């Protein structure tokens, strides 16, 4: 596209003109960099940023704004986000649209007075500068009304400084950048948020496709300034590679120190934004660095800072407006520190002697979470507050590992509240870290029984995370410690956990012997926990017998387990046993009996407060196929496939796909996998005709109805095994 024709007498600014020259037409002069023209502070357009990449969305928004009614764009972003580079690049691209020139002014650390922006811009236009600031602004508006000039005002810190610089109807336009929030009227400027660089653009900026580039992009948190400094270091230090630099920057004490070269430093960008904060905002930001919480609510931030909550919520909003914290929607809202910002907050806290403040803040946060856990935990007649737990799992791990350093009692309290993993829908990784922290304390100074209890929980987590070898090692000595503490019920639980691992790794003989050991240990005990553990052991024996083709023994063991679970009114146990009965009946050739058993299992699982396993639906589909009910089988297997995909269980997904492929050859008309799921009876009774639909939104687990619990708690009943659920 050709350059637009310029009206006669208008200024044509040559960006390649020699340094120290100025272009002048009549009374209008625009100096270039280094010009000796008196009072020409703004200078010409700064050089184009070297190696500029990306920012397609932001540039498109700026271009649309130039064509709109508002005559200014305000670019804001995190410290180091490259708002200045973007503004300069945009100014270079827009310069042909403004034939009367481009004026640039850096407002950082400028003092008010006659040389305020209006005066300096007038001087840049070669016009007289009135003594009074109001007169200078009026003269500038009048001058810009007659011209088409692009203003580039960098680092605006006060909305009043730029207010009234542009007339409402003008061919001129202003590009503003700011790191601190500006109280500009909504119709005064179009706001453009400068976000992170796209990963591909970030890699291009580093200019090195070698190993470690992705890690380096991650540790730089997508900040262009950090990436440019990293690229400069890689170019200046031949022996430095991206992976080595990324490893060095991961050290929390070396992140900001490593992101500087010469006078270019990421720390300075954060310091400039920090300097514009008020005392309360500074305190809140500093204390957020006292504890690596994933995010905070106003109440948590108030506990960290030791400040009344009524002052903390507005301070967090100011920090969010300054892009120093990320505000996440919700009630209450949550605020998160990004990596480099957290490092700056930690340094600011340390530099102000805040170690004692940090310790006190962490203790207050721990007490806050202990109180919240008491309100969110499940109790008789009240289900767990799953929404609260889902939002706080990352933070609960941080609190637990912090308590490990100074408060074993508090850590034990957290670990015990979280003991029933399935009831809380806890992700395996988080649950494992909390219980492992408690086990480390118990190994150091806890009684044998407590250590054994935590051994079992950690082993359950290791098994659930796909490491049965580690689980068996963790269980070493647990049975003996329980017996030494006079707790045969706990010893039976430890033996049962070991039996489950052996069954899963394909050692049914060893598993069967261990299940019998469980029953022997509990033969004389009649408590609810002993009855439940015995029932799970019988279910395990039935599963082993079914796998070995001994269907009569399997049915007998499952019947004994079902009787005990019914006495306890234990829904998850009954659901698992009915699944086992379905497996045994199908293995015995009783397809109709297997269908009925699987239906009961699915109905009971649907009544539980948690995801339904995939396995009963898969079994139901296979049993229906064996009974000659191909269309119904296809619907069930389609539902099992969707559930397996939702749970991320590739093994179950592959199995369902294989069966559906076979059924597709058998059924000439075919059947869509997306067919609606069937309706289940609302209870295990076959006489009930009340449907309980299990819709496609149900996210079942692919667990096999195993007896291995999500970590036995000596204070509550444990649930069925869902080792391969979506939280894995």
């Amino acid at each position: 596209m050709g350059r637009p024709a310029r009206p006669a007498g208008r200024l044509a600014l040559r960006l390649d003109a020699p340094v120290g020259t100025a272009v002048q037409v009549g009374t209008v002069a625009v100096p270039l960099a280094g010009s000796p023209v008196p009072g020409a502070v703004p200078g010409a357009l700064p050089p184009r940023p070297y190696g500029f990449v990306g920012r397609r969305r932001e540039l498109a928004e700026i271009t649309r704004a130039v064509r709109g009614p508002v005559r200014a764009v305000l670019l804001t972003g995190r410290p180091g986000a490259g708002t200045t580079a973007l503004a300069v690049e945009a100014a270079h691209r827009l310069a042909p649209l403004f034939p009367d020139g481009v004026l640039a002014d850096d407002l950082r650390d400028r003092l008010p007075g006659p040389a305020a922006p209006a005066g300096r811009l007038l001087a840049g236009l070669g016009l007289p500068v009135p003594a009074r600031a109001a007169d200078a602004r009026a003269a500038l508006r009048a001058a810009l009304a007659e011209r088409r000039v692009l203003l580039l005002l960098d680092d605006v810190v006060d909305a009043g400084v730029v207010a009234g610089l542009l007339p409402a109807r003008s061919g001129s336009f202003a590009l503003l950048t700011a790191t601190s929030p500006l109280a500009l009227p909504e119709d005064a400027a179009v706001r453009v948020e400068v976000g992170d660089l796209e990963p591909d653009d970030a890699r291009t900026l580093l200019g090195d496709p070698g190993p470690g580039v992705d890690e380096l992009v991650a540790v730089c948190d997508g900040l262009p300034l950090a990436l440019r400094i990293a690229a400069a270091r890689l170019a200046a230090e031949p022996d430095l590679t991206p992976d080595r630099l990324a490893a060095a920057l991961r050290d929390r004490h070396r992140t900001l120190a490593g992101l500087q070269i010469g006078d270019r430093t990421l720390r300075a960008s954060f310091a400039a934004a920090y300097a514009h904060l008020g005392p309360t905002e500074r305190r809140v930001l500093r204390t957020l660095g006292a504890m690596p919480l994933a995010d905070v609510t106003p109440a948590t931030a108030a506990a960290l800072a030791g400040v009344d909550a009524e002052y903390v919520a507005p301070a967090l909003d100011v920090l969010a407006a300054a892009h120093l914290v990320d505000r996440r929607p919700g009630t209450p809202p949550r605020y998160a520190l990004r990596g480099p910002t957290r490092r700056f907050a930690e340094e600011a806290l340390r530099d102000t002697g805040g170690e004692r403040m940090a310790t006190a803040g962490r203790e207050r946060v721990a007490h806050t979470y202990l109180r919240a856990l008491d309100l969110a935990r499940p109790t008789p007649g009240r289900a767990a507050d799953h929404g609260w737990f889902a939002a706080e799992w990352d933070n609960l791990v941080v609190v637990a590992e912090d308590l490990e350093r100074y408060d074993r009692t508090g850590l034990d309290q957290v670990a015990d509240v979280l003991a029933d993993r399935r009831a809380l829908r806890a992700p395996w990784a988080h649950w494992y870290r909390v219980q492992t922290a408690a086990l480390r304390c118990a190994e150091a100074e806890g009684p044998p029984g407590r250590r054994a209890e935590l051994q079992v929980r950690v082993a359950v987590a290791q098994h659930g995370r796909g490491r049965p070898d580690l689980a068996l090692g963790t269980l070493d000595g647990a049975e003996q410690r329980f017996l030494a503490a006079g707790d045969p019920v706990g010893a039976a639980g430890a033996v049962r956990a070991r039996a489950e691992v052996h069954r899963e790794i394909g050692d049914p003989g060893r598993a069967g012997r261990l299940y019998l050991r469980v029953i022997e240990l509990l033969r004389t005990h009649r408590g609810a926990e002993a009855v439940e553990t015995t029932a799970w052991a019988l279910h395990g024996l039935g599963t082993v017998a079914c796998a070995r083709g001994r269907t009569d023994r399997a049915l007998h063991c499952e019947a004994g387990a079902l009787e005990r679970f019914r006495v306890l009114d234990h829904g998850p146990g009954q659901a698992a046993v009915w699944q086992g009965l379905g497996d045994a009946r199908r293995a015995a050739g009783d397809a109709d009996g297997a269908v009925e058993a699987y239906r009961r299992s699915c109905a009971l699982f649907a009544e539980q407060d948690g995801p339904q396993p995939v396995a009963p639906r898969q079994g139901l589909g296979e049993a229906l196929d064996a009974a000659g009910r191909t269309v119904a089988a296809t619907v069930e297997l389609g539902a099992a496939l969707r559930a397996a995909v939702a749970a991320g269980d590739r093994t179950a997904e592959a199995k369902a796909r294989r069966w559906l492929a076979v059924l597709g050859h058998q059924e000439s008309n075919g059947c869509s996998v997306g067919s609606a799921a069937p309706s289940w009876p609302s209870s295990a009774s076959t006489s009930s005709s009340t449907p309980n639909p299990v819709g496609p939104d149900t996210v079942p687990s692919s667990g096999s109805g195993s007896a291995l619990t999500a970590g036995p708690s000596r204070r509550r009943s444990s649930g069925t095994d869902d080792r391969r659920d979506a939280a894995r």
Side-chain angles (χ1 to χ4, degrees):
M1 180 180 295
R3 189 177 183 87
R6 295 190 175 87
R10 292 295 181 98
L11 173 64
L13 179 64
R14 287 186 55 207
L15 298 178
D16 57 348
V19 173
T21 66
V23 181
Q24 182 170 347
V25 175
T27 60
V28 181
V30 180
L32 295 179
S35 173
V37 177
V41 178
L45 185 59
R48 203 163 197 159
Y50 175 75
F52 184 88
V53 297
R55 300 303 190 197
R56 289 168 287 278
R57 175 189 63 81
E58 292 89 343
L59 287 167
E61 290 186 31
I62 294 170
T63 302
R64 284 195 297 270
V66 170
R67 300 192 181 107
V70 178
R71 305 315 299 155
V73 162
L74 174 62
L75 304 179
T76 61
R78 293 191 292 151
T83 53
T84 298
L86 173 60
V88 173
E89 175 67 20
H92 276 277
R93 299 189 184 196
L94 295 173
L97 301 178
F98 298 93
D100 291 323
V102 181
L103 294 177
D105 194 5
D106 186 349
L107 303 186
R108 183 184 303 175
D109 301 327
R110 294 288 193 180
L111 296 176
R120 292 193 297 272
L121 294 172
L122 282 170
L125 291 171
L127 298 176
V129 180
R132 297 178 56 209
D135 294 338
R137 285 196 296 270
L140 179 63
R141 284 196 300 272
L144 293 177
E146 300 174 353
R147 296 168 173 81
R148 293 177 63 189
V149 175
L150 179 61
L151 305 181
L152 175 56
L153 304 181
D154 194 24
D155 264 324
V156 179
V157 297
D158 184 356
V161 172
V162 297
L165 290 183
L166 288 176
R169 291 180 175 84
S170 171
S172 297
F173 196 85
L175 282 173
L176 315 174
T177 74
T179 54
S180 58
L182 294 181
L184 289 173
E186 288 298 323
D187 59 350
V190 175
R191 296 175 184 267
V192 175
E193 296 287 336
V194 182
D196 300 342
L197 275 181
E198 295 293 332
D200 288 343
D201 295 329
R203 286 189 284 268
T204 300
L205 194 57
L206 286 174
D208 189 339
V213 168
D214 289 338
E215 291 80 2
L216 187 53
V217 169
V219 79
C220 290
D221 202 25
L223 287 172
L225 177 58
L227 291 164
R228 289 183 184 278
I229 293 172
R233 286 197 57 188
L234 291 172
E237 304 174 44
D239 294 336
L240 189 62
T241 60
D243 53 345
R244 289 175 55 193
L245 180 56
L249 294 178
R250 284 194 204 98
D251 184 339
R252 55 195 290 263
H253 299 294
R254 299 170 63 186
T255 303
L256 294 182
L259 288 173
Q260 64 181 40
I261 184 169
D263 60 352
R264 303 179 67 188
T265 168
L266 183 62
R267 183 186 286 108
S269 296
F270 284 106
Y274 181 77
H276 295 302
L277 299 175
T280 302
E281 289 77 18
R282 292 185 189 183
R283 181 185 179 100
V284 171
L285 180 63
R286 288 196 306 269
T287 52
L288 287 179
M291 202 171 187
L293 297 169
D295 51 28
V296 297
T297 63
T300 312
L304 274 171
V307 176
D308 290 343
E310 62 180 304
Y311 300 110
V312 170
L316 287 169
D317 286 334
V318 170
L319 293 173
H323 301 89
L324 291 169
V325 299
D326 290 346
R327 189 181 193 274
R328 297 172 179 172
T331 305
R334 308 183 75 87
Y335 302 84
L337 283 180
R338 302 281 288 271
T341 314
R342 180 175 295 282
R343 302 289 89 82
F344 179 81
E346 292 169 353
E347 286 190 7
L349 183 64
R350 184 179 66 247
D351 293 344
T352 55
E355 184 56 38
R356 183 176 298 178
M357 180 189 300
T359 300
R362 290 197 299 269
E363 292 176 356
R364 288 191 296 266
V365 167
H367 293 150
T368 299
Y369 271 93
L370 288 172
R371 290 194 300 269
L373 275 170
D374 195 50
L375 295 174
R377 66 187 299 176
T379 59
R382 186 188 72 191
D385 185 349
H386 293 298
W388 184 87
F389 277 105
E392 296 289 357
W393 279 117
D394 288 332
N395 291 335
L396 287 170
V397 172
V398 174
V399 170
E401 292 178 344
D402 192 62
L403 286 170
E404 183 183 358
R405 299 188 301 169
Y406 65 91
D407 186 355
R408 185 174 67 84
T409 301
L411 174 56
D412 280 343
Q413 184 177 345
V414 173
D416 287 343
V417 170
L418 305 182
D420 193 343
R421 190 198 72 85
R422 185 180 186 278
L424 301 178
R425 304 178 187 171
W428 275 119
H430 299 72
W431 194 77
Y432 170 74
R433 287 177 62 182
V434 172
Q435 304 301 334
T436 300
L439 176 58
R440 286 194 295 265
C441 286
E443 288 174 339
E445 53 185 79
R450 177 62 177 171
R451 178 179 175 182
E453 182 179 12
L454 290 164
Q455 280 181 266
V456 174
R457 293 185 197 170
V458 171
V460 167
Q462 290 167 333
H463 184 196
R465 300 182 75 194
R467 293 301 305 271
D469 53 332
L470 295 180
L472 290 175
T474 299
L475 287 168
D476 284 345
E479 178 188 358
Q480 291 74 22
R481 291 188 179 92
F482 273 124
L483 293 175
D487 186 358
V489 177
V495 175
R496 181 170 67 86
R498 187 178 290 276
E500 292 294 333
V501 177
H502 280 287
R503 182 172 67 82
E504 290 288 338
I505 63 177
D507 187 359
R510 175 74 171 173
R513 291 191 293 273
L514 290 170
Y515 285 131
L516 292 172
R517 168 72 174 158
V518 172
I519 295 171
E520 180 62 30
L521 284 168
L522 300 177
R523 190 173 298 280
T524 60
H525 294 271
R526 297 292 180 267
E529 188 175 355
V531 173
E532 180 187 339
T533 304
T534 301
W536 284 119
L538 286 168
H539 171 58
L541 280 172
T543 304
V544 169
C546 183
R548 290 182 153 187
R550 302 175 62 184
T551 54
D552 289 343
R553 178 174 172 79
L555 291 169
H556 176 74
C557 291
E558 296 286 13
L562 183 61
E563 179 184 358
R564 288 165 174 79
F565 280 132
R566 280 175 170 167
V567 169
L568 297 173
D569 193 24
H570 196 295
Q574 293 181 64
V577 169
W578 277 113
Q579 179 187 327
L581 286 168
D583 293 340
R585 289 175 179 176
R586 184 154 61 97
D590 181 6
D592 291 333
V595 167
E596 181 59 31
Y598 285 130
R599 286 194 185 280
R600 294 191 182 202
S601 177
C602 289
L604 285 163
F605 273 123
E607 293 175 0
Q608 306 309 311
D609 183 22
Q612 181 183 8
V614 177
R617 305 193 79 162
Q618 176 76 27
L620 177 57
E622 296 174 13
L624 285 166
D625 180 48
R629 298 160 65 181
T630 308
V631 174
T634 304
V635 173
E636 294 301 334
L637 290 167
L641 172 60
R642 293 193 301 274
V645 171
D649 190 332
R650 295 184 178 180
T651 302
E653 177 186 348
K655 184 178 182 182
R657 289 190 186 279
R658 286 195 300 271
W659 273 91
L660 285 167
V662 171
L663 292 177
H665 287 294
Q666 293 177 355
E667 187 70 19
S668 59
N669 293 330
C671 184
S672 171
V673 174
S675 300
S679 297
W680 305 112
S682 60
S683 70
S685 172
T686 57
S687 62
S688 173
S689 59
T690 304
N692 180 17
V694 180
D697 291 336
T698 304
V699 183
S701 159
S702 61
S704 59
S706 160
L708 182 58
T709 70
S713 167
R714 314 313 309 282
R715 298 163 177 78
R716 64 199 325 140
S717 298
S718 56
T720 57
D721 173 34
D722 56 339
R723 283 184 296 277
R724 294 182 293 272
D725 65 5
R728 179 175 173 176

